[in-house]
């Protein structure tokens, strides 16, 4: 994406509101079709690009602007690359890199996801942790929902694992953003639950979630333990806060024809990933990535690839198709 | 503005620390100018990588430790590979205020095996670095574009490398001095970033260079700077549609030639930043020495060889001298001054009266042109 002055056509690659020359507003240009003008295969590893060879493409978009892009795929000069909606598949995981603007990256993520089929009365539950998440991403998500037809009255923010203190803090955070201040904040742990048997397990699911048309989990990426390597993003741990006799494996074995999974959308804020290793040593890793997808297992599989950790056997049969941008495997600690 | 003293260290791996290298170059320049440090009113320091690779910032104050009690104003400048050129340009500007200043640049590149990563810091963090566009890759994309547009071949780039290695073999301070590099070695060297091979890329090396610059001419060995221009452009590689069409270079060259009241035809020797071999050809064109696509013909016909109509990089260039980032721009100007003094020894260009040094930072970003006269 880049920015172009509506009056003098000057172009910026950094986010800017107004033309520095004629002070007119700028428009954000979102190119979708790229032609490969040149490419180079890089044979030398460097600290941030240890896996070689890789290729850097010099791309020209449909408006004549050029861009560079790293890829591990094989291309030829003259080939075209489309950057359009690609998330028709349930198993698609979309990744975008945050460059100088979270707004740009989120916008691209949602654009590649395609329409959300939100109706006027659609009930939407966003399962987040306001105290752990960046409110800016929540604002962008809510803004996108509203632009797609959602009504403020029908959007609920569900605080995960919250006590009274956390709820108070979360309310304060939401009140600080005009777009969020009107939204209802609930603690799902206090909500009425319905016990649903799946296979030989019982799951307590908040009734409000069962009644939602769209359930969005917004989680900062935390790789709980590299040792388990299973369901590392734990998207559903908050959806099933009071499950009885359950564990991650049972959640992973849930059949798809249940009241929750078909309406799930997982948004992972992986800008800074918190990772615990086998010895429970904590570290953080800057990845500057956002992920969006409908299948939490596909997303977990994708996270395994991101962190170069072996997949849990539960993920073995799960497949995913990556859309948006390729990302590098994280190999070095901060 | 005159260059009255200069010194270039032996480029190559050294056990000296960066401050020691720089101090040694300063001593050499002062000796060459027959001056003492107390005669100097200000110092301009160029370095690019000390902060990232060696966690040593504030080099001005570091150097001040060699001159206790003087309390000189010492300015640190950083403009990626163009820092040396920017330091010389800033020193030129300062001579309206000072009578006599000193510029020094240095780099210690053998200090870390991660130098490719540290140097990559000179490119845009998000648009270039995260896309894996290390500098040889940027050079390779420029090379590919140039080959597509003008029919240049890898053999043409090898000719640039060969010419510069032949020159460097005559320069005792060059990294590759005394090393015979053949066309066969160049054309069979390892591919680094296709299509560029190892011998298309300048070598990381240790080195320092310094010059004394004065407002007036003091001796017959003083060399006048008659043009000094600096132009910038955005740092991200892809923002310009054509990496071979460098507006900032054209602007800096145009300004410098206008100041000097000369045209490219008046230049008899040039040092042109050849971080990668195709860049020497691309910049010959952007500096207006020849038309677009014509530099290919120039290298094939030997017009840029030491005995050609425009000798380019008689020092060996970055290719054979090596490229200690913060020192390079000063070394280039010092080489032209040495040539105009007639003191270049075995690599001396015949009858040179005017010369040009072109230095740049990142593959785009900062372009600095100096024109010198005997």
């Amino acid at each position: 994406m880049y920015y172009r002055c509506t009056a003098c056509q000057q172009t910026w690659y950094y986010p800017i509101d107004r033309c520095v020359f004629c002070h007119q507003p700028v428009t954000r240009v979102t190119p979708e079709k790229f032609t490969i003008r040149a490419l180079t295969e890089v044979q030398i590893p460097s600290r941030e690009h240890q896996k070689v060879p890789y290729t850097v493409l010099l791309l020209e978009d449909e408006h004549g602007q050029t861009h560079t892009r790293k890829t591990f795929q094989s291309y030829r000069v003259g080939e075209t690359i489309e950057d359009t909606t690609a998330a028709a598949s349930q198993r698609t995981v979309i990744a975008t890199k945050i460059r100088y603007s979270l707004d740009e990256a989120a916008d691209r993520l949602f654009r590649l996801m395609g329409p959300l089929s939100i109706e006027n009365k659609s009930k939407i539950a966003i399962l987040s942790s306001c105290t752990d998440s960046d409110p800016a991403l929540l604002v962008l998500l809510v803004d996108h929902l509203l632009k797609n037809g959602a009504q403020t009255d029908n959007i609920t923010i569900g605080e995960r694992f919250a006590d009274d203190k956390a709820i108070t803090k979360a309310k304060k955070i939401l009140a600080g953003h005009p777009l969020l201040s009107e939204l209802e904040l609930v603690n799902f742990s206090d909500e009425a639950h319905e016990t649903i048997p799946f296979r030989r397990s019982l799951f307590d699911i908040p009734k409000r979630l069962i009644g939602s048309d769209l359930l969005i989990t917004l989680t900062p990426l935390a790789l709980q333990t590299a040792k388990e390597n299973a369901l590392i993003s734990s998207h559903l741990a908050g959806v099933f806060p009071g499950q009885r006799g359950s564990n991650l494996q049972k959640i992973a074995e849930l059949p798809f024809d249940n009241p929750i999974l078909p309406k799930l959308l997982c948004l992972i804020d992986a800008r800074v990933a918190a990772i615990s290793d086998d010895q429970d040593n904590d570290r953080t890793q800057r990845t500057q990535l956002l992920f969006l997808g409908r299948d939490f297992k596909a997303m977990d599989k994708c996270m395994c690839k991101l962190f170069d950790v072996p997949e849990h056997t539960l993920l073995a049969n799960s497949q995913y198709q990556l859309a948006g941008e390729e990302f590098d495997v994280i190999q070095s600690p901060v | 503005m005159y260059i009255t003293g200069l010194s270039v260290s032996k480029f190559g791996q050294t056990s000296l620390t960066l401050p020691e290298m720089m101090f040694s170059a300063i001593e050499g320049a002062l000796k060459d100018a027959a001056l003492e440090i107390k005669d100097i009113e200000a110092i301009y320091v160029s370095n690019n990588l000390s902060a990232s690779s060696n966690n040593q910032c504030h080099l001005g104050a570091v150097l001040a430790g060699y001159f206790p009690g003087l309390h000189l104003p010492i300015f640190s400048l950083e403009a990626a590979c163009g820092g040396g050129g920017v330091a010389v340009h800033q020193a030129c500007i300062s001579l309206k205020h000072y009578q006599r200043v000193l510029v020094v640049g240095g780099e210690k590149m053998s200090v870390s095996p991660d130098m490719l990563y540290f140097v990559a810091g000179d490119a845009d963090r998000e648009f270039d670095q995260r896309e894996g566009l290390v500098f040889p890759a940027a050079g390779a994309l420029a090379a590919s574009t140039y080959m597509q547009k003008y029919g240049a071949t890898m053999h043409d780039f090898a000719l640039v490398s060969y010419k510069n290695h032949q020159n460097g073999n005559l320069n005792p301070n060059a990294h590759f001095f005394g090393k015979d590099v053949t066309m066969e070695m160049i054309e069979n060297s390892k591919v680094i970033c296709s299509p560029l091979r190892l011998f298309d890329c300048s070598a990381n090396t240790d080195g320092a260079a310094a010059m004394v610059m004065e407002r007036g001419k003091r001796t017959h060995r003083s060399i006048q700077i008659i043009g000094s221009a600096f132009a910038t452009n955005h740092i991200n590689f892809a923002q310009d549609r054509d990496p071979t069409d460098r507006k900032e270079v054209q602007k800096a060259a145009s300004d410098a030639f206008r100041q000097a009241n000369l045209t490219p035809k008046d230049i008899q020797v040039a040092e042109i930043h050849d971080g990668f071999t195709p860049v020497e050809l691309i910049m010959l064109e952007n500096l207006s020495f020849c038309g677009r696509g014509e530099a290919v013909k120039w290298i094939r016909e030997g017009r840029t060889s030491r005995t050609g109509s425009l000798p380019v990089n008689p020092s060996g260039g970055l290719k054979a001298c090596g490229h200690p980032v913060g020192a390079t721009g000063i070394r280039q100007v010092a080489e032209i001054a040495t040539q105009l003094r007639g003191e270049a020894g075995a690599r001396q260009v015949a009858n040179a009266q005017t010369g040009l040094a072109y230095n740049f930072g990142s593959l785009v970003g900062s372009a600095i042109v100096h024109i010198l006269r005997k």
Side-chain angles (χ1 to χ4, degrees):
Chain A
M1 290 181 190
Y2 47 91
Y3 302 81
R4 185 161 281 167
C5 175
T6 51
C8 70
Q9 303 301 309
Q10 185 60 258
T11 301
W12 291 263
Y13 278 38
Y14 299 126
I16 191 167
D17 293 326
R18 289 193 169 272
C19 176
V20 299
F21 302 111
C22 57
H23 309 294
Q24 296 299 306
V26 298
T27 54
R28 183 195 283 171
V29 182
T30 305
E32 296 187 346
K33 189 174 181 182
F34 304 89
T35 304
I36 299 170
R37 291 297 177 217
L39 57 81
T40 178
E41 190 175 78
V42 178
Q43 303 285 351
I44 42 170
S46 53
R47 188 193 288 185
E48 291 189 321
H49 303 279
Q50 295 180 27
K51 184 183 172 188
V52 290
Y54 63 85
T55 300
V56 182
L57 307 173
L58 181 61
L59 304 170
E60 182 178 335
D61 68 30
E62 66 269 42
H63 310 291
Q65 290 298 134
T66 44
H67 314 266
T68 49
R69 187 181 293 182
K70 177 180 176 178
T71 181
F72 288 100
Q73 296 179 46
S74 185
Y75 289 105
R76 290 191 311 278
V77 171
E79 271 190 85
T80 56
I81 298 173
E82 302 266 347
D83 195 13
T84 51
T85 304
S89 162
Q90 183 73 24
R91 297 277 168 81
T92 300
V93 175
I94 307 165
T96 58
K97 292 175 187 169
I98 301 165
R99 293 186 170 88
Y100 288 96
S101 162
L102 176 66
D103 191 0
E104 279 183 19
D107 187 51
R108 185 161 183 233
L109 203 63
F110 298 139
R111 182 171 57 83
L112 293 174
M113 169 57 72
L116 288 173
S117 305
I118 297 171
E119 293 173 6
N120 192 287
K121 292 183 178 176
S122 294
K123 299 282 185 190
I124 300 168
I126 300 172
L127 198 65
S128 177
S129 169
C130 296
T131 49
D132 292 342
S133 304
D134 179 0
L137 188 55
L138 188 56
V139 168
L140 291 169
L141 173 61
V142 171
D143 183 51
H144 178 69
L145 296 172
L146 296 175
K147 283 176 179 164
N148 275 263
Q151 301 295 311
T152 305
D153 292 348
N154 294 330
I155 301 176
T156 300
I157 307 282
E159 186 70 10
R160 293 156 51 120
F161 319 118
D163 55 20
D164 290 345
K165 199 174 168 185
I167 289 290
T168 304
K169 195 173 176 185
K171 278 181 181 166
K172 198 173 171 185
I173 290 167
L174 297 185
H177 298 269
L179 205 60
L180 305 179
S181 59
E182 300 295 313
L183 303 181
E184 184 187 14
L185 176 70
V186 298
N187 183 349
F188 281 144
S189 302
D190 294 342
E191 292 267 302
H193 286 64
E194 187 172 325
T195 301
I196 297 178
F198 286 127
R199 298 194 176 163
R200 287 190 294 275
S201 298
L202 296 173
F203 290 89
D204 289 343
I205 303 176
K207 285 183 178 175
R208 193 191 291 251
L209 291 187
I210 296 172
S212 296
D213 300 298
L214 177 62
L215 171 60
I216 303 170
T217 62
L218 169 55
T219 47
L221 180 57
L223 182 60
Q224 299 296 344
T225 67
K227 190 164 48 184
E228 289 183 7
N229 298 337
L231 304 168
I232 51 184
S233 52
S234 305
H235 308 288
L236 298 190
V239 182
F240 302 90
Q243 65 268 38
R244 277 183 279 162
S246 179
N247 55 32
L248 289 176
Q249 175 153 346
K250 285 176 178 168
I251 294 173
E253 288 172 347
L254 280 175
F256 202 73
D257 58 347
N258 69 74
I260 295 294
L261 294 186
K263 52 194 181 188
L264 188 68
L265 190 62
C266 304
L267 173 57
I268 299 181
D269 180 354
R271 276 176 285 181
V272 178
I275 308 155
S276 301
D277 67 12
D278 290 355
Q279 284 77 45
D280 291 331
N281 297 314
D282 294 332
R283 64 184 172 96
T284 57
Q285 181 68 53
R286 180 179 181 266
T287 76
Q288 290 294 89
L289 292 165
L290 296 179
F291 292 92
L292 184 65
R294 293 182 180 278
D295 182 334
F296 75 98
K297 282 192 279 187
M299 296 199 72
D300 284 339
K301 197 175 174 88
C302 188
M303 295 305 112
C304 286
K305 183 190 170 195
L306 174 65
F307 288 99
D308 195 27
V309 295
E311 291 173 4
H312 193 280
T313 50
L314 291 172
L315 302 176
N317 296 325
S318 187
Q319 300 296 322
Y320 75 92
Q321 168 199 348
L322 190 68
E325 293 176 83
E326 293 176 60
F327 55 83
D328 277 354
V329 172
I330 304 298
Q331 292 172 315
S332 58
V334 169
Chain B
M1 300 168 288
Y2 292 85
I3 296 164
T4 59
L6 59 87
S7 173
V8 176
S9 76
K10 165 69 182 162
F11 284 10
Q13 191 169 349
T14 172
S15 58
L16 294 178
T17 63
L18 177 62
E20 285 172 334
M21 281 195 295
M22 288 177 139
F23 177 61
S24 177
I26 289 171
E27 281 193 309
L30 288 170
K31 185 179 176 188
D32 187 51
L35 293 170
E36 299 288 334
I37 188 64
K38 61 181 178 356
D39 299 317
I40 299 298
E41 294 171 81
I43 299 177
Y44 294 86
V45 183
S46 163
N47 172 265
N48 179 227
L49 300 164
S50 178
S52 56
S53 68
N54 200 34
N55 200 33
Q56 179 62 70
C57 312
H58 206 176
L59 287 175
V62 171
L63 286 178
Y66 285 96
F67 315 118
L70 283 186
H71 310 298
L72 285 172
I74 306 181
F75 304 88
S76 293
L77 296 126
E78 189 278 304
C81 310
V86 170
V88 176
H89 178 70
Q90 189 60 46
C92 288
I93 292 169
S94 78
L95 286 173
K96 289 174 185 159
H97 178 76
Y98 301 116
Q99 293 284 341
R100 189 176 288 140
V101 300
L102 197 145
V103 291
V104 61
E107 211 71 66
K108 179 80 177 170
M109 302 187 79
S110 62
V111 75
S112 167
D114 259 347
M115 209 44 81
L116 187 65
Y117 167 72
F118 294 128
V119 175
D122 291 334
D124 185 276
R125 176 72 189 134
E126 301 298 334
F127 293 121
D128 297 334
Q129 293 180 45
R130 290 186 67 207
E131 297 300 332
L133 195 74
V134 290
F135 275 96
L141 290 178
S144 297
T145 306
Y146 189 71
M147 292 165 86
Q148 288 172 42
K149 285 184 75 172
Y150 302 119
T153 65
M154 288 307 296
H155 184 69
D156 296 324
F157 302 154
L159 288 173
V160 174
S161 181
Y162 183 67
K163 166 184 71 75
N164 291 348
H165 274 291
Q166 289 226 307
N167 291 343
N169 212 359
L170 301 173
N171 179 358
N173 287 331
H175 183 108
F176 281 88
F177 175 67
K179 297 182 179 75
D180 285 323
V181 175
T182 65
M183 278 296 279
E184 187 183 10
M185 287 164 68
I186 294 166
E187 293 192 303
N188 292 321
S189 62
K190 179 185 170 187
V191 173
I192 299 294
C193 294
S194 64
L196 296 186
R197 294 178 177 277
L198 180 65
F199 276 95
D200 289 307
C201 307
S202 56
N204 291 345
T205 194
D206 301 337
M211 297 194 302
V212 175
M213 294 171 59
E214 301 187 48
R215 192 184 292 177
K217 182 172 183 176
R218 195 160 48 82
T219 73
H220 71 282
R221 291 174 73 239
S222 301
I223 298 296
Q224 191 177 11
I225 297 178
I226 54 176
S228 175
F230 172 31
T232 58
N233 206 342
H234 47 73
I235 188 174
N236 51 320
F237 176 80
Q239 189 163 341
D240 272 342
R241 299 177 184 191
D242 180 353
T244 69
D245 182 13
R246 305 304 331 154
K247 302 289 190 228
E248 71 284 3
V249 183
Q250 295 156 26
K251 170 81 165 59
S254 163
D255 288 353
F257 279 119
R258 192 180 63 253
Q259 289 169 26
N261 198 23
L262 295 176
T263 70
K265 286 188 171 57
D266 299 316
I267 300 299
Q268 289 139 359
V269 59
E271 284 284 310
I272 294 180
H273 196 112
D274 58 328
F276 305 101
T277 50
V279 176
E280 181 177 306
L281 303 181
I282 293 168
M283 294 310 166
L284 264 172
E285 297 168 10
N286 280 276
L287 291 162
S288 299
F289 285 113
C290 57
R292 292 299 159 82
E294 290 178 12
V296 178
K297 193 176 169 196
W298 278 40
I299 189 69
R300 288 175 187 169
E301 292 177 352
R303 292 173 70 172
T304 54
S305 71
R306 203 161 36 82
T307 53
S309 57
L310 177 67
V312 173
N313 291 327
S315 66
L318 282 67
K319 179 70 219 65
C321 284
H323 181 27
V325 178
T328 287
I330 299 169
R331 180 203 61 75
Q332 291 176 304
V333 176
E335 173 66 16
I336 294 299
T338 304
Q339 290 285 347
L340 298 183
R341 281 174 166 183
E343 297 176 358
R347 65 183 191 283
Q348 180 66 49
V349 169
N351 303 319
Q353 303 293 312
T354 58
L356 177 145
Y358 165 65
N359 177 216
F360 70 72
S362 306
L363 212 59
V364 292
S366 297
I368 311 97
V369 176
H370 285 97
I371 298 175
L372 280 62
R373 180 165 62 196
K374 190 171 183 178

